[in-house]
C-alpha cells in the first residue's frame, strides 16, 4: 500500500471553469471527486468552506490549457489581469479591486502566494505553471490567516510535494505553432519510509507573435526555464517537514510595447488669435484625446510633445547657426506612419527581457500534543529583472553638424542613428524574507483556534530609466565646447553602453526601498451546533516603510566631486545631496473577519452551506516618487475596505450537480488609484463602493457529458474623490489652455496664453513655451520675463463621483463543455471553454480616451489517456477566433506624448503534447 506524505494528503477535486466540480477521467470511467483546499489553513472540502474560492487541480490546469496566470481570468468570475502592478508585481484584480496603485513602495491588492507564503514579486502571470498540486483563488479581503494583507483576494500556488514509497517519473514534450517547443518533467524518489525527493522542471521556447518591421525580427518570443527540488521528511509520527528550492530564468524579447496615438498637431488658435506653425509645435501634447479604436489612433505622437523632441526643437532657437543645423524644426515623426496591424511594430531595436528568480522555502509541522500543531513557514526569494525597449526611429533626419557629422549621431547608450530615438530601461532588484509561526488546535470540543505571527521584510531597488538621443544631443551641444564630451562640461555624462545611472543627460528615477512588517493574526472557531459554526478572526499589522528619495538627474548639477574624476561622490552617483532625502512612514491597522455559516439538511440537496460574513481589509500606503526639481511629492494613505458577503454552496442529484452563489458589498475608504505624472507614478486616494453577484455551477447530464459555467455581475462606483486627467487637464473649461513642459503638462488662463501667442506673432521667440510648466513656483520660466506672473496650475481636477473603477467589467461569463468517452483502452475527452468580458474603463476618468471594448475567447482541447501504458496525448487550440483583442491599455506620461501602450490577447495557437509516465 502506498503511504502518501502527510504534506499532501488531499483528495484532489477536478475544477472546471467555474472552479467547482467537473468530472475526472479515472481508469474505471468518470467519477466526481472532491477537492480539498487550505483556504482556511486547514484541509477542508471546497463545498464546506464559507469563502468564495475557486480551485484548479493539476489535471484541470493541463486539460484546459491554463498555462499561466493570465489564463485564470478566463476561468474565474470577476477576475482580470491588468499587467504589471506595484513595483513590477503581478497585476490581478478581483471584483474590481487589486492593481490600481503604482510605484516601488506600493502594495498589490490581490496577494500572490507560493505554498501559502506571500510573494512581493512573483512570475506566475507570465511563467509556465508546472508540477502543481492545485491553484486556489480566494475572492475578498484576506489577512487573518494569509501572511500579507490583501484587500482584493489571494491567488495561492500550491506546488506538488514528494510522495513517500512511490517512485514516479513523468515527461511531457510539446510542439506547436510559432515554433513552440516545450518540455516538462518530474521525478519522485522515495528515500525509505521517512523521506522523499521530488525534482521538477520546465522549459519553453517559442517564436514571437509580433513583427518588428524595422529589424525584420519577430519579437514577443519566449525563452524561459524553471526547476524545483522539494525534499520531504517525516522522521516521527509527530514531526514532518518539507524544504524547497526553485529557480526561474527568462531571456527573450517580451514586451514589444505597441503604442497607439491620435496625433496632436497643436491648436491653430488660442481664443481668437491664430497660432503660427512654430508655436503649434510647442503647444502640442503629442497625442490627442479620443478612442484607441478609431482609425486615427495608428499615428505617432508629435515629437515636440515629448521631452526628447522638445529639447531637439529648442536647439533651433538658441541663436547659433551651428546649433540650428543639428535638428530640423518641428515634428521629427511627421513623415512616419505605423501599420494598422496591432501585431506589427517598428522599433529601432528589439526589446529584451531578462529575469532571474530564486526561491527558498520550508515548512516544519510538529504535533506538540494530540490536539495542537505548531507550524513554521519560511520563505526567502531574490528577483532580478532588467528590461529594455526602444522606440521607432524618426524618419526626418539630423542635419550635417559638428555634433551630427554626416547627419549621424552616435549616442552612448543607443548607438549610431540618423533620427530621433528613445530607449527605456527598467532595472529592478527585490529581496524578501518572511517567517510565519502558527499554532493550530484540533480539539474534540466545540472551540478551536489558529494563531500566528508573521515577520515580513522587503529590500528593493528600482531604476526607471528613459533616454532620447536628442536630449543627449542637446546637452552635448550646449554644455560641451564643440560638442566634445569631457569632464570640463558643466554636467557629468554617463558614457557607458550599459548605463551606470550616474549621468545627467537622461531621466533616471532611482528608488531604494525597505519594508519591515510584523503581524499578529488568528481565528477562533465555535461549533455552536452540529450544523452552525461561528468564525471570528483578528489581525494587527505594523508596516514600516523607508525609502531614499532621489530627484531624477536630468540636467541637475552633480554632487561634490571628491575624487576629481568628474563624478559626484556625495549620495548616489550623479545626484546632488541637496536633491535627496530620507523618507519614513509607519502604518498600523487592526482588521478581521466574522463568519456565521449553517449546513442545514434539506430535501432537495445532498448538501447545502449558507454563510454570511463581514471582513475588514487593509493595504498600507506609501510614497509618491519625486519629479525633476522636487525632492518628494508626499505620501498616499492606506486603503480600507469593509466587505459584506452572503453565499451558498449546494450539491444536488447525488453529486451530479453543483450550484454556488455569492452576493457581496464593499465599502471602500481611501481606495488607492494611480496615474503617470512625468516619468513617475502618482498615487491618490478616493472612496468607492462595490457590489455584485457571482454564480458558479456544473451539471453532469449523463456519465459522459457535463456542462458548467460562471456568471459575474459587478457594479463599482466612486463615492467621492477628484483627480486631474492628464489627457483633459482643463476638464473641458475653455477659459483655460493646456501648456506643455518637457516632462509634464499644465494649464493657464486662456487670456494669458492668448496674449503670449499674440506676442510671438509679433516677433517674440516661441521658446517662451519651451518649459511652460515649471511648477516650482507660480511662474512659467519661459513666459515670465516677457509678461510677468503667469497663473500656471497642474489642471482642473475632475469630480470622479459616480464613475466606475478601472478594469471592472459589469458582466463576465464563462462556459465549459466536456464530453468523455472510452475506446480501446483509451479514456478520452473533448473540452470547450468560452469566456466573455463586458466593456470597461482602464482609468477612473471614464472618458472615451479610456474605454475598453468587450472581448471574448474560446479554447478547445482533445485529451487521450491510456493508463495501462502510461501515455497521454493532447491536441489543443487556444484563441480559436484568432482575434487581435486588446485586453488592457495604459496612458503614458506627458513626457512620451500621452501614447497608449496596449496589451493583447495571444493570437491563435495550437499544438500537440505527449506525456509518458514511467511508474
Amino acid at each position: 500500500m502506498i503511504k502518501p506524505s502527510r504534506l499532501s494528503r488531499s483528495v484532489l477535486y477536478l475544477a472546471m471553469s467555474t472552479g467547482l466540480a467537473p468530472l475526472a477521467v479515472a481508469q474505471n470511467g468518470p467519477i466526481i471527486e472532491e477537492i480539498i483546499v487550505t483556504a482556511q489553513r486547514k484541509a477542508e472540502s471546497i463545498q464546506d468552506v464559507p469563502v468564495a474560492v475557486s480551485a484548479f487541480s493539476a489535471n484541470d490546469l493541463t486539460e484546459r490549457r491554463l498555462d499561466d496566470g493570465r489564463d485564470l481570468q478566463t476561468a474565474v468570475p470577476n477576475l482580470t489581469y491588468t499587467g504589471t502592478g506595484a513595483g513590477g508585481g503581478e497585476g490581478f484584480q478581483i471584483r474590481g479591486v487589486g492593481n490600481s496603485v503604482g510605484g516601488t513602495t506600493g502594495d498589490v491588492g490581490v496577494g500572490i502566494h507560493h505554498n501559502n507564503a506571500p510573494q512581493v514579486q512573483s512570475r506566475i502571470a507570465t511563467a509556465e505553471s508546472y508540477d502543481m498540486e492545485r491553484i486556489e483563488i480566494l475572492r475578498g479581503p484576506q489577512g487573518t490567516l494569509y501572511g500579507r494583507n490583501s484587500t482584493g483576494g489571494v491567488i495561492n500556488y500550491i506546488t506538488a510535494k514528494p510522495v513517500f514509497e512511490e517512485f514516479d517519473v513523468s515527461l511531457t514534450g510539446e510542439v506547436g505553432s510559432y515554433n513552440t517547443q516545450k518540455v516538462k518533467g518530474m521525478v519522485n524518489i522515495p528515500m525509505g519510509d521517512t523521506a522523499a525527493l521530488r525534482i521538477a522542471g520546465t522549459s519553453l521556447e517559442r517564436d514571437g507573435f509580433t513583427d518588428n518591421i524595422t529589424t525584420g525580427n519577430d519579437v514577443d518570443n519566449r525563452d524561459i526555464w524553471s526547476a524545483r527540488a522539494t525534499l520531504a521528511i517525516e522522521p516521527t509520527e509527530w514531526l514532518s517537514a518539507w524544504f524547497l528550492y526553485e529557480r526561474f530564468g527568462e531571456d527573450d524579447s517580451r514586451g514589444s510595447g505597441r503604442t497607439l496615438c491620435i496625433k496632436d498637431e497643436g491648436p491653430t488658435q488660442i481664443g481668437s488669435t491664430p497660432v503660427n506653425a512654430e508655436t503649434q509645435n510647442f503647444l502640442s501634447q503629442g497625442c490627442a484625446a479620443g478612442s484607441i479604436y478609431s482609425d486615427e489612433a495608428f499615428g505617432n505622437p508629435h515629437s515636440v510633445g515629448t521631452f526628447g523632441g522638445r529639447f531637439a526643437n529648442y536647439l533651433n532657437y538658441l541663436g547659433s547657426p551651428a546649433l540650428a543645423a543639428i535638428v530640423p524644426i518641428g515634428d521629427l515623426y511627421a513623415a512616419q506612419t505605423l501599420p494598422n496591424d496591432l501585431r506589427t511594430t517598428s522599433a529601432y531595436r528589439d526589446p529584451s527581457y531578462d529575469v532571474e528568480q530564486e526561491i527558498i522555502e520550508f515548512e516544519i509541522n510538529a504535533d506538540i500534543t494530540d490536539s495542537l500543531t505548531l507550524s513554521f513557514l519560511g520563505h526567502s526569494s531574490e528577483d532580478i529583472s532588467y528590461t529594455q525597449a526602444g522606440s521607432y526611429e524618426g524618419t526626418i533626419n539630423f542635419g550635417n553638424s559638428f555634433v551630427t557629422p554626416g547627419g549621424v549621431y552616435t549616442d552612448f547608450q543607443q548607438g549610431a542613428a540618423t533620427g530621433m530615438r528613445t530607449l527605456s530601461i527598467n532595472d529592478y532588484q527585490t529581496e524578501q524574507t518572511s517567517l510565519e509561526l502558527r499554532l493550530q488546535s484540533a480539539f474534540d470540543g466545540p472551540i478551536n483556534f489558529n494563531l500566528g505571527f508573521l515577520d515580513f521584510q522587503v529590500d528593493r531597488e528600482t531604476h526607471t530609466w528613459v533616454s532620447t538621443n536628442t536630449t543627449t544631443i542637446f546637452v552635448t551641444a550646449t554644455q560641451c565646447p564643440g560638442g566634445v564630451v569631457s569632464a570640463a562640461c558643466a554636467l557629468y555624462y554617463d558614457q557607458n553602453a550599459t548605463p551606470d545611472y550616474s549621468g545627467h543627460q537622461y531621466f533616471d528615477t532611482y528608488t531604494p526601498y525597505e519594508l519591515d512588517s510584523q503581524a499578529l493574526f488568528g481565528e477562533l472557531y465555535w461549533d455552536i451546533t452540529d450544523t452552525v459554526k461561528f468564525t471570528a478572526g483578528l489581525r494587527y499589522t505594523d508596516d514600516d516603510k523607508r525609502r531614499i528619495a532621489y530627484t531624477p538627474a536630468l540636467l541637475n548639477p552633480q554632487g561634490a566631486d571628491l575624487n576629481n574624476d568628474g563624478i559626484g561622490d556625495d549620495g548616489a552617483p550623479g545626484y546632488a545631496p541637496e536633491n535627496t532625502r530620507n523618507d519614513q512612514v509607519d502604518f498600523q491597522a487592526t482588521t478581521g473577519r466574522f463568519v456565521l455559516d449553517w449546513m442545514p439538511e434539506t430535501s432537495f440537496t445532498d448538501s447545502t452551506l449558507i454563510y454570511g460574513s463581514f471582513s475588514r481589509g487593509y493595504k498600507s500606503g506609501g510614497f509618491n516618487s519625486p519629479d525633476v526639481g522636487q525632492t518628494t511629492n508626499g505620501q498616499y494613505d492606506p486603503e480600507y475596505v469593509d466587505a459584506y458577503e452572503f453565499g451558498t454552496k449546494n450539491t444536488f442529484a447525488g453529486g451530479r450537480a453543483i450550484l454556488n452563489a455569492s452576493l457581496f458589498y464593499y465599502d471602500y475608504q481611501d481606495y488607492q488609484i494611480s496615474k503617470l505624472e512625468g516619468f513617475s507614478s502618482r498615487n491618490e486616494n478616493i472612496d468607492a463602493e462595490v457590489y455584485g453577484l457571482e454564480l458558479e455551477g456544473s451539471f453532469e447530464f449523463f456519465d459522459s457529458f457535463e456542462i458548467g459555467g460562471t456568471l459575474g455581475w459587478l457594479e463599482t462606483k466612486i463615492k467621492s474623490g477628484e483627480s486631474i486627467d492628464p489627457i483633459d487637464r482643463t476638464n473641458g473649461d475653455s477659459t483655460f489652455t493646456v501648456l506643455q513642459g518637457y516632462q509634464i503638462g499644465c494649464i493657464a488662463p486662456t487670456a494669458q496664453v492668448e496674449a503670449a501667442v499674440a506676442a510671438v506673432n509679433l516677433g517674440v521667440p516661441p521658446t517662451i513655451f519651451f518649459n511652460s510648466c515649471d511648477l516650482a513656483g507660480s511662474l512659467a520660466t519661459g513666459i515670465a520675463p516677457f509678461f510677468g506672473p503667469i497663473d500656471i496650475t497642474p489642471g482642473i481636477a475632475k469630480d470622479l463621483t459616480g464613475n466606475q473603477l478601472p478594469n471592472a467589467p459589469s458582466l463576465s461569463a464563462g462556459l465549459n463543455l466536456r464530453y468523455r468517452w472510452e475506446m480501446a483502452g483509451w479514456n478520452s475527452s473533448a473540452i470547450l471553454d468560452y469566456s466573455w468580458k463586458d466593456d470597461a474603463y482602464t482609468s477612473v476618468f471614464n472618458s472615451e480616451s479610456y474605454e475598453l471594448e468587450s472581448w471574448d475567447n474560446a479554447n478547445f482541447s482533445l485529451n487521450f489517456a491510456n493508463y495501462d501504458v502510461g501515455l497521454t496525448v493532447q491536441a489543443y487550440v487556444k484563441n480559436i477566433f484568432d482575434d487581435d483583442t486588446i485586453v488592457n491599455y495604459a496612458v503614458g506620461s506627458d513626457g512620451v506624448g500621452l501614447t497608449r501602450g496596449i496589451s493583447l490577447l495571444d493570437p491563435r495557437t495550437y499544438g500537440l503534447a505527449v506525456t509518458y509516465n514511467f511508474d
Side-chain angles (χ1 to χ4, degrees):
M1 176 179 177
I2 296 173
K3 176 187 176 184
S5 167
R6 257 180 30 172
L7 306 168
S8 57
R9 278 180 199 156
S10 57
V11 182
L12 290 181
Y13 169 87
L14 189 54
M16 48 165 284
S17 65
T18 63
L20 295 179
L23 298 177
V25 180
Q27 286 183 268
N28 297 321
I31 62 172
I32 294 181
E33 291 187 310
E34 178 183 48
I35 192 166
I36 303 300
V37 297
T38 55
Q40 297 189 117
R41 299 302 291 269
K42 59 181 179 178
E44 298 175 284
S45 166
I46 194 172
Q47 289 298 96
D48 295 339
V49 177
V51 177
V53 56
S54 300
F56 301 89
S57 72
N59 188 53
D60 206 45
L61 293 171
T62 300
E63 281 196 346
R64 297 192 43 220
R65 299 299 305 191
L66 301 176
D67 296 319
D68 58 42
R70 294 173 301 172
D71 291 332
L72 295 177
Q73 67 181 323
T74 66
V76 178
N78 289 328
L79 173 70
T80 57
Y81 177 71
T82 57
T84 304
E90 304 288 13
F92 289 96
Q93 288 198 183
I94 297 177
R95 297 172 174 174
V97 179
N99 181 31
S100 296
V101 66
T104 301
T105 68
D107 296 324
V108 294
V110 175
I112 307 300
H113 287 65
H114 189 272
N115 291 315
N116 297 313
Q119 278 192 285
V120 69
Q121 178 68 72
S122 68
R123 297 291 163 188
I124 69 163
T126 53
E128 290 282 308
S129 60
Y130 67 100
D131 199 36
M132 303 301 301
E133 182 176 305
R134 67 185 180 278
I135 300 175
E136 299 176 2
I137 301 96
L138 285 74
R139 303 189 289 279
Q142 308 296 322
T144 58
L145 287 176
Y146 276 90
R148 187 80 174 128
N149 300 287
S150 62
T151 48
V154 162
I155 301 177
N156 194 9
Y157 274 57
I158 309 296
T159 63
K161 305 302 187 299
V163 178
F164 296 160
E165 300 178 5
E166 177 183 349
F167 180 80
D168 192 11
V169 179
S170 176
L171 182 64
T172 300
E174 179 181 325
V175 295
S177 54
Y178 296 93
N179 198 28
T180 295
Q181 301 175 62
K182 185 188 300 185
V183 177
K184 293 184 180 183
M186 175 277 297
V187 56
N188 188 91
I189 306 171
M191 302 166 67
D193 294 336
T194 60
L197 177 66
R198 191 180 187 98
I199 300 173
T202 184
S203 173
L204 168 64
E205 293 185 7
R206 169 181 59 70
D207 291 344
F209 296 147
T210 302
D211 180 23
N212 186 352
I213 58 176
T214 300
T215 65
N217 299 325
D218 291 331
V219 294
D220 280 333
N221 72 306
R222 299 306 302 274
D223 187 352
I224 64 175
W225 66 272
S226 184
R228 180 192 310 131
T230 309
L231 174 67
I233 62 172
E234 192 171 330
T236 70
E237 287 294 325
W238 57 270
L239 181 66
S240 66
W242 55 261
F243 305 87
L244 177 148
Y245 178 78
E246 180 174 304
R247 285 192 66 89
F248 170 83
E250 180 171 2
D251 182 7
D252 49 42
S253 63
R254 191 156 62 84
S256 61
R258 175 63 195 265
T259 60
L260 299 176
C261 173
I262 303 172
K263 186 185 287 288
D264 176 22
E265 300 288 358
T268 57
Q269 67 178 45
I270 301 295
S272 59
T273 301
V275 179
N276 65 41
E278 293 185 19
T279 305
Q280 256 188 286
N281 292 329
F282 282 111
L283 293 178
S284 170
Q285 289 185 274
C287 300
S291 171
I292 64 166
Y293 300 98
S294 67
D295 293 337
E296 294 80 14
F298 292 94
N300 281 312
H302 191 302
S303 70
V304 186
T306 69
F307 86 96
R310 203 166 196 83
F311 278 99
N313 197 56
Y314 191 31
L315 287 169
N316 293 277
Y317 301 95
L318 296 181
S320 167
L323 295 178
I326 300 173
V327 181
I329 291 177
D331 182 11
L332 301 181
Y333 296 140
Q336 189 166 3
T337 59
L338 291 178
N340 289 6
D341 181 2
L342 294 178
R343 299 200 188 274
T344 301
T345 188
S346 178
Y348 81 87
R349 55 157 292 165
D350 296 330
S352 61
Y353 194 94
D354 298 308
V355 171
E356 293 182 9
Q357 187 180 68
E358 182 179 64
I359 297 174
I360 300 173
E361 273 180 347
F362 65 90
E363 184 175 67
I364 302 171
N365 297 290
D367 296 333
I368 55 179
T369 73
D370 290 342
S371 304
L372 290 174
T373 300
L374 187 66
S375 299
F376 188 35
L377 175 64
H379 175 100
S380 174
S381 62
E382 181 178 9
D383 186 278
I384 300 173
S385 65
Y386 189 85
T387 65
Q388 298 185 76
S391 71
Y392 23 76
E393 183 171 331
T395 53
I396 295 182
N397 295 339
F398 301 138
N400 183 14
S401 72
F402 73 103
V403 178
T404 54
V408 177
Y409 180 71
T410 302
D411 183 80
F412 303 120
Q413 284 84 39
Q414 302 191 61
T418 59
M420 178 176 169
R421 288 178 173 181
T422 300
L423 177 65
S424 61
I425 295 175
N426 289 320
D427 186 353
Y428 296 161
Q429 298 185 46
T430 303
E431 296 181 9
Q432 75 161 79
T433 59
S434 64
L435 299 173
E436 180 185 285
L437 184 66
R438 285 189 304 113
L439 179 65
Q440 186 168 344
S441 72
F443 299 128
D444 292 333
I447 304 293
N448 277 286
F449 62 84
N450 196 334
L451 301 176
F453 168 78
L454 174 75
D455 181 81
F456 190 72
Q457 307 285 328
V458 177
D459 191 347
R460 167 182 285 168
E461 290 190 1
T462 62
H463 284 275
T464 300
W465 184 95
V466 182
S467 177
T468 61
N469 57 0
T470 51
T471 307
T472 308
I473 286 173
F474 176 87
V475 178
T476 302
T478 57
Q479 299 293 321
C480 296
V484 179
V485 177
S486 72
C489 298
L491 299 179
Y492 174 72
Y493 287 79
D494 177 2
Q495 301 182 43
N496 298 290
T498 300
D500 65 4
Y501 311 118
S502 66
H504 296 266
Q505 77 271 28
Y506 46 63
F507 277 101
D508 175 37
T509 303
Y510 171 50
T511 309
Y513 162 66
E514 293 179 358
L515 168 66
D516 182 4
S517 178
Q518 286 81 38
L520 291 169
F521 57 88
E523 290 194 341
L524 180 71
Y525 311 103
W526 178 24
D527 294 334
I528 300 174
T529 70
D530 290 342
T531 60
V532 178
K533 185 172 72 175
F534 177 70
T535 301
L538 286 175
R539 178 190 183 96
Y540 175 77
T541 304
D542 188 332
D543 289 326
D544 181 47
K545 293 188 172 184
R546 300 176 298 278
R547 67 107 185 249
I548 303 175
Y550 290 102
T551 299
L554 179 67
L555 304 182
N556 284 349
Q558 60 182 326
D561 185 5
L562 303 180
N563 297 325
N564 252 345
D565 60 0
I567 303 177
D569 299 300
D570 262 350
Y575 294 93
E578 64 269 18
N579 289 330
T580 66
R581 62 176 289 173
N582 293 322
D583 290 324
Q584 182 173 1
V585 67
D586 195 27
F587 302 105
Q588 294 89 30
T590 300
T591 55
R593 73 170 184 140
F594 302 93
V595 185
L596 185 66
D597 65 87
W598 177 38
M599 300 187 70
E601 292 187 6
T602 69
S603 59
F604 53 89
T605 66
D606 300 326
S607 67
T608 291
L609 172 69
I610 300 172
Y611 65 92
S613 69
F614 166 79
S615 57
R616 183 168 176 81
Y618 150 81
K619 180 154 69 83
S620 67
F623 303 102
N624 282 316
S625 299
D627 287 328
V628 170
Q630 299 170 302
T631 55
T632 184
N633 286 306
Q635 66 187 52
Y636 53 94
D637 295 329
E639 68 176 44
Y640 295 89
V641 58
D642 293 330
Y644 304 85
E645 184 164 339
F646 175 79
T648 180
K649 299 184 177 184
N650 304 276
T651 304
F652 304 88
R656 286 182 173 269
I658 287 177
L659 179 62
N660 295 348
S662 57
L663 182 68
F664 53 89
Y665 172 81
Y666 293 175
D667 182 14
Y668 251 102
Q669 304 94 47
D670 292 320
Y671 182 76
Q672 297 164 359
I673 60 172
S674 181
K675 62 185 178 185
L676 286 176
E677 290 281 9
F679 290 99
S680 304
S681 294
R682 183 68 65 251
N683 297 301
E684 301 167 316
N685 297 96
I686 60 173
D687 293 334
E689 65 177 1
V690 176
Y691 56 91
L693 173 69
E694 293 165 349
L695 297 175
E696 305 173 278
S698 64
F699 182 71
E700 177 196 356
F701 283 97
F702 42 89
D703 286 346
S704 58
F705 180 67
E706 180 192 5
I707 183 171
T710 65
L711 178 65
W713 168 60
L714 183 66
E715 292 295 327
T716 63
K717 184 171 70 174
I718 298 174
K719 296 196 297 183
S720 65
E722 59 180 28
S723 183
I724 297 171
D725 183 354
I727 295 179
D728 182 18
R729 290 185 178 274
T730 67
N731 196 14
D733 188 339
S734 61
T735 64
F736 287 88
T737 295
V738 175
L739 299 175
Q740 193 71 19
Y742 59 78
Q743 70 147 331
I744 195 169
C746 62
I747 65 170
T750 299
Q752 294 180 2
V753 178
E754 184 177 7
V757 169
V760 171
N761 292 342
L762 294 174
V764 172
T767 51
I768 62 173
F769 293 110
F770 166 68
N771 187 22
S772 303
C773 299
D774 180 1
L775 302 181
S778 61
L779 303 179
T781 56
I783 302 175
F786 296 92
F787 301 102
I790 303 294
D791 299 321
I792 300 298
T793 59
I796 300 173
K798 290 187 175 183
D799 182 4
L800 303 176
T801 303
N803 285 5
Q804 297 178 20
L805 293 178
N807 303 109
S810 296
L811 290 173
S812 59
L815 180 66
N816 174 256
L817 303 177
R818 295 174 181 245
Y819 181 72
R820 289 181 168 80
W821 69 97
E822 185 176 352
M823 182 174 62
W826 290 84
N827 290 283
S828 308
S829 66
I831 301 175
L832 176 66
D833 273 317
Y834 174 80
S835 63
W836 172 83
K837 292 189 184 297
D838 202 357
D839 297 344
Y841 293 100
T842 62
S843 164
V844 293
F845 297 113
N846 284 198
S847 70
E848 179 188 32
S849 299
Y850 301 96
E851 285 181 338
L852 181 66
E853 291 185 355
S854 63
W855 59 276
D856 60 359
N857 181 58
N859 302 326
F860 178 74
S861 67
L862 281 172
N863 303 277
F864 306 93
N866 189 317
Y867 297 102
D868 293 333
V869 297
L871 188 64
T872 302
V873 180
Q874 180 187 63
Y876 67 89
V877 181
K878 300 184 69 173
N879 189 4
I880 296 173
F881 306 134
D882 197 25
D883 292 334
D884 292 336
T885 302
I886 299 175
V887 295
N888 193 41
Y889 65 93
V891 176
S893 71
D894 297 271
V896 294
L898 300 174
T899 53
R900 280 68 148 180
I902 63 172
S903 299
L904 298 174
L905 195 69
D906 288 351
R908 181 193 297 136
T909 56
Y910 53 86
L912 180 70
V914 179
T915 301
Y916 189 73
N917 290 289
F918 303 83
D919 55 359

